[in-house]
Amino acid sequence: SQKIEQNSEALNIQEGKTATLTCNYTNYSPAYLQWYRQDPGRGPVFLLLIRENEKEKRKERLKVTFDTTLKQSLFHITASQPADSATYLCALGGSASKIIFGSGTRLSIRP
Amino acid sequence: NAGVTQTPKFQVLKTGQSMTLQCAQDMNHNSMYWYRQDPGMGLRLIYYSASEGTTDKGEVPNGYNVSRLNKREFSLRLESAAPSQTSVYFCASSGTSGISYNEQFFGPGTRLTVL
């Protein structure tokens, strides 16, 4: 069955450093991959999308890579700030309108 | 624009009771979704509606029914609530179906406890 794995343990990073989150998947060939941010008690918010034929996407301090051979996406936050502390979810999409979410990685940026 | 709205925000039910969770979006989106989120499990798709008049099962549909009332509204019904349905329920919508962006917009969630 399709499986998405994200770092199950929380990631603690010093402010100003680059945070790198990993999303691995098996038994799936997604057409695109998305990253969402979720704050406690709130719904997820879309951040970035990367298609299967794209290697890298950037948006301000965010960078996403997508390696369909390794079946892996990396999500980077450069110059991290305490306000970046949240849970980050990756999601895979195919030809249908539904997408599959990973369980998320909790990121904590300490001042 | 209110985006995606959900009612109620909180609900406590007894085992066997029924209830309907309401969801509405004002972004003229074709597709709507219901997810549940449990600790350590991530978001799991219950049902979705790719367009008005159609609904399809997701990963965990048992114990739930849905109605796509019109393009704006998508409701989720629990006919006979069970403690295993204690969860946070999110409704979402997206502007496209098929292979495209499919950026999903989420509501604030409904926190449901079944005793």
Side-chain angles (χ1 to χ4, degrees):
Chain A
S1 62
Q2 301 159 349
K3 193 174 180 182
I4 304 174
E5 288 184 351
Q6 295 187 249
N7 313 60
S8 57
E9 294 182 10
L11 195 60
N12 294 298
I13 300 291
Q14 180 74 43
E15 182 178 7
K17 301 290 186 185
T18 296
T20 298
L21 284 65
T22 304
C23 176
N24 295 299
Y25 60 92
T26 56
N27 298 325
Y28 200 59
S29 295
Y32 57 88
L33 186 146
Q34 300 175 337
W35 283 90
Y36 289 78
R37 170 183 172 139
Q38 186 174 23
D39 292 289
R42 305 181 81 98
V45 175
F46 173 82
L47 295 174
L48 279 169
L49 175 145
I50 186 166
R51 298 177 187 269
E52 61 178 335
N53 59 352
E54 297 174 315
K55 296 292 184 189
E56 182 179 299
K57 205 73 157 304
R58 291 176 186 259
K59 179 182 176 182
E60 297 172 352
R61 294 183 296 111
L62 308 180
K63 185 178 88 171
V64 172
T65 62
F66 193 12
D67 189 325
T68 54
T69 301
L70 289 179
K71 295 187 181 294
Q72 181 182 78
S73 175
L74 298 178
F75 176 79
H76 306 274
I77 305 175
T78 58
S80 59
Q81 306 165 359
D84 295 326
S85 298
T87 296
Y88 291 86
L89 307 169
C90 74
L92 304 180
S95 57
S97 56
K98 63 182 181 180
I99 60 177
I100 303 170
F101 282 87
S103 56
T105 297
R106 191 164 68 236
L107 176 65
S108 197
I109 310 296
R110 58 182 186 274
Chain B
N1 272 359
V4 179
T5 56
Q6 292 183 236
T7 55
K9 285 188 166 50
F10 300 93
Q11 184 71 48
V12 178
L13 293 177
K14 293 181 181 177
T15 297
Q17 288 185 315
S18 62
M19 78 161 295
T20 299
L21 282 64
Q22 306 285 355
C23 174
Q25 51 91 9
D26 61 1
M27 295 172 282
N28 200 35
H29 285 166
N30 287 325
S31 301
M32 297 185 74
Y33 311 81
W34 276 106
Y35 295 91
R36 60 178 287 174
Q37 187 172 39
D38 303 294
M41 300 289 289
L43 285 161
R44 291 186 292 170
L45 183 65
I46 305 171
Y47 270 94
Y48 69 104
S49 171
S51 60
E52 187 179 353
T54 68
T55 60
D56 286 286
K57 294 178 181 179
E59 182 186 355
V60 288
N62 291 345
Y64 306 95
N65 285 303
V66 290
S67 295
R68 183 74 183 267
L69 304 170
N70 47 55
K71 193 171 186 179
R72 289 187 65 249
E73 297 171 291
F74 189 38
S75 63
L76 178 73
R77 182 158 178 85
L78 286 70
E79 292 291 352
S80 178
S84 61
Q85 295 179 304
T86 294
S87 187
V88 180
Y89 291 85
F90 288 101
C91 177
S93 69
S94 66
T96 58
S97 59
I99 185 166
S100 187
Y101 286 106
N102 205 19
E103 171 188 345
Q104 300 207 354
F105 294 80
F106 284 82
T110 294
R111 281 142 190 85
L112 175 68
T113 301
V114 182
L115 302 175

